[in-house]
Amino acid sequence: MIKQIKRFTIQVVAGANIATVIIMLLVGYSDRLNPAAHPLLSTLGMTFPFFVVANLLFLFFWLTFKWTKAWIPIVGFFLAYGPIHIYMPFHMSQEVPDSTFKLVSYNVCGYGGNYKYENGFEKVRDYLRDEKADIVCVQEDNDTWRHNVFKEYEKIFAYNDTVVLSNTKQSFNAVGIHTRFPIVRCERIDYHTESNNGSVAWWLQVGKDTLIVVNNHFESCHLNNNDRRQYKQILKGQLESDSIRKESKLLMVKLAEANAKRSVQIDRVCEYVREHAGYPIVVCGDFNDNPLSYSRHAMSKVLKDCYVETGRGIGLSFNQRAFLFRIDHVFCSENIQPFNCKVDNNMDASDHYPIACWLKIMPKP
């Protein structure tokens, strides 16, 4: 009788493990789904780490009680290597050659200091000065309560420009570039839809090369503090089952709507990149989307993901608790070599951490 119960338990656990692996794979490769056609399904990438952890627990279970079944989670990890590598790449530190330039992308949250620093702008300014970046792309570069920001940046960078994306009673948003390289031209990429967000391409003269830098602030998920609090409670199991279903549905709808809007914006920037193929191009900014999303996947089809190619670890760039994702990204064209892309989680003057990368424009063949 005991043997039968044990055999039945092993079969149930094995079935649950196989089901977990299947769901993990479906979720891991859900970034192929265009949110415009599959809005709800496009949000599944956010759940990927939960299934990875579940599969890891199954592995520990089998190694403890029935090691011959450990092949199930191991095969699962092997099949999910692609999304695991995207979500959490691991590369050794690289030696950076002399002819590189350093790029930093940072959503500064309007220089508000993340409710931690009274002098938020000064904190960000000093950080960027000490980083000695050659190109800084700023999202929410919109300090409306003081007017000396531009003059302060001019003390550090020779060339500065900010483009206002929206200026209404409800919202003010802008993206900016602060660089040591001359700005040749600037153009806003038209999404062909109404939006408070935007993408701006700056053409820079880097030595003998013309480098196109596209700074982006894509559609936000528009989750308020209550939404985030409910999300944390769901993760902790602090809500009743009926409330969990209700709140989860509301969150999924908000995320799905944002994904659908964002996909149009992403596609337009990808189109811009294809139109200017041949130029050295860098696309960076606040994507407001996780690594296993249509946004990152679509951009990776036309450019290299610098963090996936050279980064280490999960690289959480959104520092609000419970939302453990890398939503800030840097991409570059094939004629640029990236080095040591990293998220600096020591700089907490915003709800985002800055992401930095060293880049080298390769000589033309």
Side-chain angles (χ1 to χ4, degrees), residues 1-13:
M1 184 66 177
I2 296 177
K3 289 184 178 180
Q4 291 177 337
I5 294 176
K6 183 178 179 181
R7 188 181 304 111
F8 176 75
T9 302
I10 292 297
Q11 291 175 345
V12 170
V13 175

Side-chain angles (χ1 to χ4, degrees), residues 9 14 33 40 64 123 135 176 182 190 206 211 225 230 268 333:
T9 302
L33 298 175
L40 285 174
T64 303
K123 183 74 174 177
I135 302 172
D190 191 356
V206 180
L211 172 70
N225 290 333
Q230 296 286 1
R268 182 62 191 98
S333 52

Side-chain angles (χ1 to χ4, degrees), residues 45-258:
M46 297 177 63
T47 66
F48 182 72
F50 300 107
F51 291 102
V52 171
V53 171
N55 197 48
L56 186 61
L57 293 176
F58 276 116
L59 178 60
F60 291 150
F61 174 85
W62 294 127
L63 291 176
T64 303
F65 297 103
K66 188 74 172 178
W67 68 268
T68 56
K69 295 290 186 180
W71 66 268
I72 300 175
I74 291 174
V75 169
F77 283 132
F78 177 78
L79 295 176
Y81 172 78
I84 290 174
H85 177 68
I86 291 171
Y87 197 90
M88 188 177 60
F90 189 84
H91 298 277
M92 301 301 292
S93 180
Q94 303 153 304
E95 184 176 350
V96 179
D98 294 334
S99 54
T100 59
F101 59 88
K102 184 178 182 180
L103 179 140
V104 173
S105 176
Y106 194 14
N107 183 324
V108 297
C109 196
Y111 302 108
N114 201 17
Y115 308 105
K116 295 181 178 180
Y117 303 99
E118 182 177 350
N119 299 318
F121 171 73
E122 287 77 7
K123 183 74 174 177
V124 171
R125 176 203 61 195
D126 293 347
Y127 170 79
L128 296 175
R129 179 198 61 208
D130 296 342
E131 283 296 294
K132 295 181 172 57
D134 300 293
I135 302 172
V136 173
C137 290
V138 178
Q139 302 87 46
E140 296 191 30
D141 194 10
N142 42 305
D143 188 352
T144 58
W145 49 273
R146 55 189 292 169
H147 303 286
N148 66 339
V149 169
F150 211 78
K151 292 181 180 179
E152 287 295 316
Y153 274 130
E154 286 178 339
K155 296 176 183 178
I156 307 173
F157 302 99
Y159 306 94
N160 304 271
D161 190 30
T162 299
V163 174
V164 175
L165 303 175
S166 66
N167 186 4
T168 66
K169 292 182 179 180
Q170 290 75 30
S171 69
F172 184 92
N173 195 13
V175 293
I177 192 168
H178 309 284
T179 176
R180 306 185 195 281
F181 301 121
I183 299 174
V184 178
R185 59 185 284 199
C186 167
E187 59 182 330
R188 183 171 178 178
I189 299 175
D190 191 356
Y191 291 159
H192 304 307
T193 59
E194 186 176 349
S195 176
N196 294 326
N197 298 86
S199 301
V200 178
W202 280 276
W203 297 50
L204 308 181
Q205 191 65 43
V206 180
K208 296 181 180 180
D209 296 294
T210 299
L211 172 70
I212 300 176
V213 178
V214 183
N215 187 4
N216 306 272
H217 190 194
F218 291 120
E219 188 74 22
S220 170
C221 295
H222 304 292
L223 298 181
N224 55 38
N225 290 333
N226 183 61
D227 294 329
R228 295 176 182 178
R229 184 167 54 253
Q230 296 286 1
Y231 177 70
K232 294 176 186 177
Q233 290 176 333
I234 291 173
L235 292 182
K236 295 178 181 179
Q238 296 177 344
L239 295 177
E240 295 182 0
S241 57
D242 290 343
S243 297
I244 289 177
R245 284 193 294 269
K246 180 180 177 181
E247 296 301 331
S248 297
K249 184 176 181 180
L250 291 174
L251 286 173
M252 293 293 282
V253 168
K254 277 194 173 184
L255 293 171
E257 291 175 348

Side-chain angles (χ1 to χ4, degrees), residues 347-359:
M347 179 54 181
D348 59 353
S350 168
D351 55 357
H352 291 245
Y353 294 129
I355 183 169
C357 192
W358 284 260
L359 302 165

